[in-house]
Amino acid sequence: MKQIKIDGGNILSGTINISGAKNSAVALIPASILSDDVVTIDNIPNISDIAALNEILNYLGAKVTLENGTITIDPKTIENKEIPREVSSKLRASYYFMSALLGKYKHVEMYFPGGCKIGARPIDQTLKGFTALGAEVKEEDSKFTLDAEELIGGHVYLDMPSVGATINTMLVAVRAKGLTIIENAAKEPEIVDVATFLNNMGAKITGAGTSEIRITGVDKLSGCFTEVIPDRIEAGTYVIAGALMGDKLRIQNIIPEHIEALTLKLKEMGVDIDIGKDYIVVSHSDRLKHVNIKTLGYPGFATDLQQPLTPLLTQCTGVSKLEETIYENRFQNVPYLNEMGAEIEIKGRTIEVHGPTKLVGTEVIATDLRAGACLILAGLKASGTTVVKDVDHVLRGYENIIEKLTNVGAKIVLEEI
Ligand code: EPU
C-alpha cells in the first residue's frame, strides 16, 4: 500500500509540464489493434492505467515496445482470446478492447470493465451500439460474449452523451460495412483525438467533436503515427493548485480552450490567472468569491475536475453550490475535507461549501482517482501534515505527481507502507 505525505502551506512557483491525456491514451492503445500494421503513439503518460493496457496487449500477443513515452504496437501477431476478469477489472478503458476486437475479428469474450467506484457506470449504451451494428450480445456472470456474422453500419442514438459508448461505437463502425451515424455523441476532446487517429489509419470519420458523428466503414486500416493531446484534467488540477498556493505558477504544454469552463469559473471567483497560447500562469489570492457550478459533458464543467476544485471552494467567501450531474457517487472526498476543517453539506447531488475555512492536515483516504487529487490539493493548502492513504488510485492517472509538485516547491513524498 502506498500513501502520500504532504507538509502544507508552501508556496508553489515555477513550471509544471502537462503529460499526455490519460483518457485519450487509454482509448488510442486499444484502438491501435484495429490497424493491420504497426502504429506508433507518442506522449503516452507514465501511469498505471497504461501499464494495465500494456498487460492486455502482451496477453493477446501483440508486439509492444514502450520507451520514453512512445509506444509502438504491432498487432499482426494478436490472437483473439478471452480477456480474463482480473485484467479487465483493473480499469474502465479495458472495454475499448471489446469494441476493437469485435470490429476486427467479429467475436470477443471479456468481462465487465473496472474503474473508479463513483457510480453504477453501466455499459448499456455501448452494448446498444454493438447491437445496432449487427452484433449479438450474450452476458453471463459479468462475462460478455459478442458475435457478428457481419458488421453493418447503423443509426445509433445514445440516451446520454457517453464518452465510452461514443468511442466504442466508433471503434466497431470503422470496420463495419456502410454508414454509421452516432447521434447525441459525446463531444470531449479525447473523442476527437481517437477519431483523428483512426482517420490517420485510413478510417472515414466526420463530425467528431459535435453531437453527430458519421463513420463510413473501410476494409483495411494501415499503420500510422500520432501524438496524445495534453491531459486537460491534469492541467486543470495543477491550475487549481496554483489558485490555492501559487506564486506565478506556470502550467505548460496545454490547450487552454479544453479547460475554459474551469478558467471562466476561476475568473468569476477572482483568481489571478493569465491565459497564454499553450500555458496558464496562476497565483493564489486571499479574497475569492463563492460560485455555483454544475458538471456537464464537454464543453461544460468537467465532472473530473469537480473534486479537485472543492478545496478551492472552501477558501471562497460565502456559500458555493456544486451540482454533480454525471455520477451518483462522486462526493466521497467530502467527509475527508470536513475532517480537515471544511464545512461542506451534501444535499442529494449537490454540495454546499461554506467558506472560507482553515484546512488542517490529518489522515485521509483517496477513495478514487479524483478524490485523491482533491485531498492532495487540500493537503498543499492545509497547515501541518496531511497523509493521503490508498494513493494507488492517484498513480493510475497522474504522471510523476510527486516530482512535478516537488519541483515547484511542495513538500510531498510517496511512502510504501
Ligand atoms: N452511462 C450509462 N450507460 C452507459 C454509459 C454511461 O448510464 O452505457 C452513464 C454513466 O454511468 C455516467 C454517465 O453516463 O453516469 C457518463 O458516462 P461516460 O460513459 O461518459 O463515462 P466513461 O466513458 O465511463 C469517461 C472517463 C471518465 C470521465 C467520463 C465523463 C475514461 C476512461 N473515463 O468515462 O474519467 O469522468 O468519461 O467525462 O475515459 C476519470 O478520469 O477520473 C474518469 C472517471
Side-chain angles (χ1 to χ4, degrees), residues 29 97 120 130 192 209 252 281 331 368 403:
I29 290 175
F97 277 106
F130 293 166
V192 180
Q252 194 164 271
V281 177
F331 290 141
D368 53 83
E403 293 81 350

Side-chain angles (χ1 to χ4, degrees), residues 205-220:
I205 305 173
T206 57
T210 76
S211 56
E212 185 180 295
I213 302 179
R214 290 171 168 256
I215 305 132
T216 304
V218 294
D219 291 337
K220 194 177 155 35

